[in-house]
Amino acid sequence: MKLSAHGFAGDVIRWIKNWLTDRKQRVVLNGQCSGLSDVLNGVPPLLFVISVNDIDDGIAGKILKFADDTKIFYKVGSANDIDSLRNDLNNLVSWSKEWQMLFNVEKCKVMHIGYNVVLSMTWMEINRKLPLRKRTWDLW
């Protein structure tokens, strides 16, 4: 469990596991209550932050993190820069596999900023050419 890797142990981990197990929730709107429903996934924000806080360890590029979005960016001017970016992407995939928090590869994109940019990006770890985005509306 990720919490153990961050130094949590014993009663604290047991308390968190018990709290996350067999949870139920309901909605209250204008004084009316829905029935109870099982909570099938999700963790409180602080536990999520603890879980992803080390995602950028060993990454050479810059990373932006917000909620469950991660963006990595580089100034690419040479083939070596492209190799560094690929290496960082592969390190991110290794991290996601180690902690069982896989990326949704359908949401992975490449965005070029600048002039005369003609680079293509194939992410070797997932053997997939990443689609090119011309703009994004978040984190920028």
Side-chain angles (χ1 to χ4, degrees):
M1 185 179 212
K2 187 77 179 225
L3 292 172
S4 299
H6 286 289
F8 293 90
D11 289 340
V12 173
I13 289 188
R14 273 191 297 284
W15 179 81
I16 292 170
K17 281 183 180 179
N18 288 338
W19 186 76
L20 291 173
T21 303
D22 298 325
R23 292 184 297 155
K24 299 202 178 287
Q25 68 181 12
R26 72 173 60 188
V27 175
V28 178
L29 181 63
N30 295 328
Q32 300 292 318
C33 294
S34 70
L36 288 172
S37 296
D38 291 331
V39 177
L40 302 176
N41 55 29
V43 296
L46 180 59
L47 288 180
F48 183 77
V49 169
I50 290 170
S51 296
V52 300
N53 194 46
D54 65 344
I55 193 171
D56 49 0
D57 288 356
I59 301 297
K62 301 216 183 274
I63 286 189
L64 295 174
K65 299 181 277 189
F66 181 75
D68 64 347
D69 287 336
T70 303
K71 292 195 179 357
I72 184 169
F73 57 100
Y74 264 84
K75 179 180 179 183
V76 175
S78 70
N80 286 341
D81 294 337
I82 294 171
D83 289 341
S84 292
L85 176 56
R86 280 194 183 111
N87 186 54
D88 279 355
L89 290 171
N90 290 335
N91 287 338
L92 288 170
V93 169
S94 295
W95 177 92
S96 74
K97 288 177 180 176
E98 178 181 356
W99 297 112
Q100 299 174 8
M101 298 179 71
L102 301 179
F103 290 102
N104 181 347
V105 295
E106 297 304 315
K107 292 183 176 181
C108 295
K109 310 279 189 274
V110 172
M111 188 169 109
H112 298 296
I113 301 171
Y115 299 101
N116 300 323
V117 179
V118 292
L119 299 173
S120 174
M121 186 72 196
T122 301
W123 189 354
M124 302 312 257
E125 180 74 21
I126 59 173
N127 195 25
R128 180 175 186 263
K129 184 173 182 173
L130 300 177
L132 182 63
R133 287 283 297 258
K134 292 187 178 187
R135 63 178 64 99
T136 187
W137 302 105
D138 57 346
L139 297 181
W140 294 97

PDB file of all heavy atoms in Angstrom, residues 23-27 34-40:
ATOM      1  N   ARG A  23     -18.122   1.534   2.502  1.00  0.00           N
ATOM      2  CA  ARG A  23     -18.685   2.874   2.708  1.00  0.00           C
ATOM      3  C   ARG A  23     -20.021   3.009   1.980  1.00  0.00           C
ATOM      4  O   ARG A  23     -20.254   2.383   0.950  1.00  0.00           O
ATOM      5  CB  ARG A  23     -17.735   3.956   2.192  1.00  0.00           C
ATOM      6  CG  ARG A  23     -16.473   4.069   3.008  1.00  0.00           C
ATOM      7  CD  ARG A  23     -15.596   5.195   2.534  1.00  0.00           C
ATOM      8  NE  ARG A  23     -15.156   4.962   1.161  1.00  0.00           N
ATOM      9  CZ  ARG A  23     -14.793   5.924   0.314  1.00  0.00           C
ATOM     10  NH1 ARG A  23     -14.825   7.178   0.678  1.00  0.00           N
ATOM     11  NH2 ARG A  23     -14.385   5.630  -0.900  1.00  0.00           N
ATOM     12  N   LYS A  24     -20.864   3.854   2.509  1.00  0.00           N
ATOM     13  CA  LYS A  24     -22.160   4.162   1.890  1.00  0.00           C
ATOM     14  C   LYS A  24     -22.314   5.676   1.867  1.00  0.00           C
ATOM     15  O   LYS A  24     -21.702   6.393   2.657  1.00  0.00           O
ATOM     16  CB  LYS A  24     -23.288   3.524   2.677  1.00  0.00           C
ATOM     17  CG  LYS A  24     -23.171   2.002   2.720  1.00  0.00           C
ATOM     18  CD  LYS A  24     -24.490   1.358   2.997  1.00  0.00           C
ATOM     19  CE  LYS A  24     -24.378  -0.149   2.998  1.00  0.00           C
ATOM     20  NZ  LYS A  24     -24.216  -0.737   1.710  1.00  0.00           N
ATOM     21  N   GLN A  25     -23.158   6.135   0.949  1.00  0.00           N
ATOM     22  CA  GLN A  25     -23.433   7.565   0.877  1.00  0.00           C
ATOM     23  C   GLN A  25     -24.885   7.781   0.482  1.00  0.00           C
ATOM     24  O   GLN A  25     -25.537   6.891  -0.042  1.00  0.00           O
ATOM     25  CB  GLN A  25     -22.512   8.248  -0.124  1.00  0.00           C
ATOM     26  CG  GLN A  25     -22.753   7.868  -1.566  1.00  0.00           C
ATOM     27  CD  GLN A  25     -21.792   8.550  -2.528  1.00  0.00           C
ATOM     28  OE1 GLN A  25     -20.811   9.146  -2.133  1.00  0.00           O
ATOM     29  NE2 GLN A  25     -22.081   8.433  -3.804  1.00  0.00           N
ATOM     30  N   ARG A  26     -25.344   8.996   0.732  1.00  0.00           N
ATOM     31  CA  ARG A  26     -26.688   9.384   0.304  1.00  0.00           C
ATOM     32  C   ARG A  26     -26.652  10.840  -0.089  1.00  0.00           C
ATOM     33  O   ARG A  26     -25.738  11.577   0.275  1.00  0.00           O
ATOM     34  CB  ARG A  26     -27.725   9.137   1.386  1.00  0.00           C
ATOM     35  CG  ARG A  26     -27.642  10.104   2.543  1.00  0.00           C
ATOM     36  CD  ARG A  26     -28.770   9.972   3.526  1.00  0.00           C
ATOM     37  NE  ARG A  26     -28.757   8.641   4.065  1.00  0.00           N
ATOM     38  CZ  ARG A  26     -29.692   8.128   4.832  1.00  0.00           C
ATOM     39  NH1 ARG A  26     -30.712   8.852   5.194  1.00  0.00           N
ATOM     40  NH2 ARG A  26     -29.619   6.909   5.281  1.00  0.00           N
ATOM     41  N   VAL A  27     -27.656  11.260  -0.807  1.00  0.00           N
ATOM     42  CA  VAL A  27     -27.785  12.645  -1.238  1.00  0.00           C
ATOM     43  C   VAL A  27     -28.952  13.262  -0.485  1.00  0.00           C
ATOM     44  O   VAL A  27     -30.017  12.652  -0.366  1.00  0.00           O
ATOM     45  CB  VAL A  27     -28.026  12.733  -2.767  1.00  0.00           C
ATOM     46  CG1 VAL A  27     -28.272  14.164  -3.198  1.00  0.00           C
ATOM     47  CG2 VAL A  27     -26.846  12.126  -3.514  1.00  0.00           C
ATOM     48  N   SER A  34     -32.027  10.626  -0.214  1.00  0.00           N
ATOM     49  CA  SER A  34     -32.066   9.440  -1.067  1.00  0.00           C
ATOM     50  C   SER A  34     -31.761   8.229  -0.195  1.00  0.00           C
ATOM     51  O   SER A  34     -31.369   8.355   0.967  1.00  0.00           O
ATOM     52  CB  SER A  34     -31.020   9.556  -2.182  1.00  0.00           C
ATOM     53  OG  SER A  34     -29.714   9.452  -1.646  1.00  0.00           O
ATOM     54  N   GLY A  35     -31.898   7.056  -0.773  1.00  0.00           N
ATOM     55  CA  GLY A  35     -31.482   5.847  -0.076  1.00  0.00           C
ATOM     56  C   GLY A  35     -29.970   5.755  -0.041  1.00  0.00           C
ATOM     57  O   GLY A  35     -29.264   6.470  -0.763  1.00  0.00           O
ATOM     58  N   LEU A  36     -29.456   4.890   0.795  1.00  0.00           N
ATOM     59  CA  LEU A  36     -28.013   4.690   0.874  1.00  0.00           C
ATOM     60  C   LEU A  36     -27.529   3.888  -0.333  1.00  0.00           C
ATOM     61  O   LEU A  36     -28.182   2.942  -0.762  1.00  0.00           O
ATOM     62  CB  LEU A  36     -27.639   3.945   2.154  1.00  0.00           C
ATOM     63  CG  LEU A  36     -27.769   4.756   3.444  1.00  0.00           C
ATOM     64  CD1 LEU A  36     -27.553   3.847   4.659  1.00  0.00           C
ATOM     65  CD2 LEU A  36     -26.771   5.887   3.464  1.00  0.00           C
ATOM     66  N   SER A  37     -26.369   4.272  -0.851  1.00  0.00           N
ATOM     67  CA  SER A  37     -25.735   3.558  -1.962  1.00  0.00           C
ATOM     68  C   SER A  37     -24.307   3.232  -1.582  1.00  0.00           C
ATOM     69  O   SER A  37     -23.653   4.000  -0.857  1.00  0.00           O
ATOM     70  CB  SER A  37     -25.728   4.423  -3.225  1.00  0.00           C
ATOM     71  OG  SER A  37     -27.026   4.688  -3.653  1.00  0.00           O
ATOM     72  N   ASP A  38     -23.818   2.110  -2.083  1.00  0.00           N
ATOM     73  CA  ASP A  38     -22.429   1.740  -1.835  1.00  0.00           C
ATOM     74  C   ASP A  38     -21.494   2.717  -2.551  1.00  0.00           C
ATOM     75  O   ASP A  38     -21.770   3.145  -3.676  1.00  0.00           O
ATOM     76  CB  ASP A  38     -22.137   0.333  -2.351  1.00  0.00           C
ATOM     77  CG  ASP A  38     -22.848  -0.732  -1.537  1.00  0.00           C
ATOM     78  OD1 ASP A  38     -23.090  -0.494  -0.330  1.00  0.00           O
ATOM     79  OD2 ASP A  38     -23.161  -1.790  -2.111  1.00  0.00           O
ATOM     80  N   VAL A  39     -20.385   3.058  -1.909  1.00  0.00           N
ATOM     81  CA  VAL A  39     -19.314   3.834  -2.533  1.00  0.00           C
ATOM     82  C   VAL A  39     -18.339   2.821  -3.099  1.00  0.00           C
ATOM     83  O   VAL A  39     -17.693   2.085  -2.345  1.00  0.00           O
ATOM     84  CB  VAL A  39     -18.623   4.774  -1.522  1.00  0.00           C
ATOM     85  CG1 VAL A  39     -17.461   5.506  -2.185  1.00  0.00           C
ATOM     86  CG2 VAL A  39     -19.619   5.765  -0.940  1.00  0.00           C
ATOM     87  N   LEU A  40     -18.255   2.751  -4.418  1.00  0.00           N
ATOM     88  CA  LEU A  40     -17.469   1.703  -5.064  1.00  0.00           C
ATOM     89  C   LEU A  40     -16.018   2.100  -5.320  1.00  0.00           C
ATOM     90  O   LEU A  40     -15.159   1.236  -5.478  1.00  0.00           O
ATOM     91  CB  LEU A  40     -18.133   1.295  -6.377  1.00  0.00           C
ATOM     92  CG  LEU A  40     -19.575   0.804  -6.226  1.00  0.00           C
ATOM     93  CD1 LEU A  40     -20.180   0.522  -7.587  1.00  0.00           C
ATOM     94  CD2 LEU A  40     -19.630  -0.422  -5.331  1.00  0.00           C
TER      95      LEU A  40
END
